[in-house]
Amino acid sequence: MAIAFLSAERSKDPNRQVGACLVSQEGIILGIGYNGFPRGCSDDKLPWAKKSASGDPLETKFPYVVHAEVNAILNTNHASAAGQKLYVTMFPCNECAKIIIQSGVSEVIYFVEKKIDNSAHVYVASHKLLSMAGVKVRKHQPQMAQIPIKFQEP
Ligand SMILES: Nc1ccn([C@H]2C[C@H](O)[C@@H](COP(=O)(O)O)O2)c(=O)n1
Ligand SMILES: [Zn+2]
């Protein structure tokens, strides 16, 4: 989970930084991701806004951003294998849930679940899909509140 949090730091989303880390059954890191625009799609040319003054959805981030979970899954070189776990700083939306299921992830460990009224159905659908597909879901129980990182010679 700490790696997922570290990865989230790289997101340029000014409103929400989400990170994810895919690990094998043996605990080997397979892929890391954070929310961002697709490769080759410049942060300078696409909007990070949540709402646009004109009401045009194309002037918001939502049609363009790739979610952290999808990036973590796509960033792995390994073929899908049983027992993979996905650590994610935020509970996956329904679209990510579909990809998590189809890629064969066995367990999702999340840090927080977003509680926003107008997107509640997205998370209800996500829970429904993950449960139907037999993907285990659990909230991360941290054993420590922080992991300080010192940049110094070992
Ligand atoms: N599980 C999640 C949930 C959200 N995201 C990303 C997608 C957006 O960049 C941002 C959500 O924006 P907000 O509506 O909170 O301003 O977080 C994700 O990658 N994974
Ligand atoms: Zn998502």
Side-chain angles (χ1 to χ4, degrees):
M1 186 58 84
I3 302 278
F5 268 90
L6 207 53
S7 178
E9 293 285 318
R10 290 185 57 83
S11 173
K12 302 236 176 60
D13 189 332
N15 190 60
R16 183 96 53 194
Q17 293 177 302
V18 184
C21 179
L22 184 69
V23 299
S24 71
Q25 203 164 24
E26 296 77 28
I28 295 165
I29 293 172
L30 303 173
I32 294 170
Y34 56 88
N35 52 322
F37 295 138
R39 233 170 268 162
C41 301
S42 163
D43 289 302
D44 305 329
K45 292 189 183 140
L46 292 173
W48 273 121
K50 263 176 90 80
K51 282 183 187 155
S52 80
S54 66
D56 183 353
L58 289 174
E59 287 173 20
T60 73
K61 63 184 169 181
F62 298 109
Y64 312 109
V65 73
V66 183
H67 286 197
E69 300 89 323
V70 173
N71 275 327
I73 290 168
L74 293 178
N75 282 342
T76 174
N77 289 324
H78 294 249
S80 111
Q84 288 182 0
K85 295 179 190 178
L86 185 71
Y87 287 85
V88 60
T89 58
M90 210 171 188
F91 192 81
C93 72
N94 61 326
E95 293 300 328
C96 287
K98 294 173 199 172
I99 290 163
I100 288 166
I101 294 164
Q102 296 300 70
S103 68
V105 171
S106 300
E107 186 171 6
V108 172
I109 303 116
Y110 66 96
F111 187 77
V112 72
E113 185 158 6
K114 190 176 168 184
K115 298 277 182 202
I116 293 181
D117 288 345
N118 61 7
S119 66
H121 65 286
V122 160
Y123 294 94
V124 172
S126 176
H127 274 287
K128 196 169 175 175
L129 288 170
L130 292 167
S131 156
M132 282 178 84
V135 177
K136 283 191 248 164
V137 169
R138 70 177 159 90
K139 189 168 170 20
H140 182 64
Q141 303 296 339
Q143 286 162 16
M144 53 194 87
Q146 57 177 332
I147 302 179
I149 299 173
K150 279 191 189 160
F151 289 97
Q152 62 184 28
E153 281 187 32

